[in-house]
Amino acid sequence: NAGVTQTPKFQVLKTGQSMTLQCAQDMNHNSMYWYRQDPGMGLRLIYYSASEGTTDKGEVPNGYNVSRLNKREFSLRLESAAPSQTSVYFCANGVGGDTQYFGPGTRLTVL
Amino acid sequence: LAKTTQPISMDSYEGQEVNITCSHNNIATNDYITWYQQFPSQGPRFIIQGYKTKVTNEVASLFIPADRKSSTLSLPRVSLSDTAVYYCLVGDKGTGFQKLVFGTGTRLLVSP
């Protein structure tokens, strides 16, 4: 089992470009999450999905959209990338909420 | 979610026992205490969870006093590979779903 997979691993964008970060899980968990982590900081929740078909905003949702395509997949979209969105993005899943399993991360640089 | 306070950083040497304390004065009756570990360039990893007294697994021990206003993560005989950031989180396991709040964590550096 791969657990939680994320693509791509690295990405460089120019300001204003758009892109979608993909996340997939093979753990059959209901909940999925997107976090960002800036250098030297903790993780901040962007969006989450408690179950298939539902999504909700987290702490820092501005500039992002998400899609819970099915139980396995939860994508994060940047419509118009800004330098402030340079960060490492982590996808996670969980049963309930207190124990989460994280993917390897996507390192995004916006120039 | 209850707010937690941890030291920003700690230093240790290989073979020593490391204790990281987390304060959570506003912990609620149904809250559990969970610790995550994050290695550089990786996502956080669940290491231990407890409600009261002591919990031990193959990685660490978690000590929780009777008033539950603090908890201590104990790492026995650390090695260089234990260098990581450790996060303490508090939340209600019983509600089924919740949003985790990661603070800045404690950065542990283990030296030879």
Side-chain angles (χ1 to χ4, degrees):
Chain A
N1 290 345
V4 179
T5 57
Q6 294 183 235
T7 55
K9 288 187 169 57
F10 301 93
Q11 184 71 48
V12 178
L13 294 177
K14 295 180 179 178
T15 297
Q17 288 185 315
S18 62
M19 78 161 296
T20 299
L21 282 65
Q22 305 288 353
C23 175
Q25 57 138 344
D26 62 4
M27 304 171 77
N28 202 35
H29 289 164
N30 288 325
S31 306
M32 297 187 76
Y33 311 80
W34 275 106
Y35 294 89
R36 63 176 287 175
Q37 185 173 34
D38 299 330
M41 304 292 288
L43 284 80
R44 291 185 291 171
L45 183 64
I46 305 171
Y47 269 94
Y48 64 97
S49 171
S51 61
E52 183 180 351
T54 67
T55 61
D56 284 288
K57 296 178 180 179
E59 179 187 358
V60 287
N62 291 344
Y64 305 95
N65 286 300
V66 290
S67 295
R68 183 73 184 269
L69 305 171
N70 45 54
K71 193 171 187 178
R72 285 191 67 248
E73 299 171 289
F74 189 38
S75 62
L76 178 72
R77 182 161 178 84
L78 286 71
E79 291 291 352
S80 178
S84 61
Q85 294 178 304
T86 293
S87 191
V88 180
Y89 291 85
F90 290 103
C91 177
N93 70 6
V95 177
D98 58 339
T99 304
Q100 295 185 8
Y101 302 88
F102 286 80
T106 294
R107 283 147 186 78
L108 175 66
T109 300
V110 183
L111 303 175
Chain B
L1 296 176
K3 181 178 179 179
T4 61
T5 303
Q6 327 173 214
I8 293 174
S9 64
M10 295 182 67
D11 295 320
S12 183
Y13 294 97
E14 283 190 294
Q16 290 188 333
E17 179 184 70
V18 171
N19 295 308
I20 306 174
T21 298
C22 178
S23 297
H24 27 79
N25 291 320
N26 297 322
I27 191 168
T29 302
N30 292 332
D31 285 344
Y32 279 70
I33 301 151
T34 308
W35 286 80
Y36 282 77
Q37 174 190 54
Q38 185 178 25
F39 296 117
S41 302
Q42 295 186 25
R45 179 178 74 121
F46 170 91
I47 50 174
I48 199 165
Q49 183 181 72
Y51 183 80
K52 63 180 178 180
T53 62
K54 177 183 174 182
V55 179
T56 297
N57 62 22
E58 66 278 5
V59 176
S61 294
L62 179 60
F63 297 92
I64 305 168
D67 66 6
R68 305 201 324 121
K69 293 185 182 299
S70 66
S71 59
T72 299
L73 176 73
S74 180
L75 306 172
R77 297 179 298 282
V78 294
S79 64
L80 297 177
S81 63
D82 291 314
T83 293
V85 178
Y86 293 82
Y87 297 96
C88 168
L89 295 88
V90 175
D92 186 348
K93 184 177 181 179
T95 58
F97 175 79
Q98 62 172 301
K99 296 178 285 186
L100 296 182
V101 178
F102 287 83
T104 53
T106 297
R107 191 171 299 272
L108 173 65
L109 175 63
V110 180
S111 300

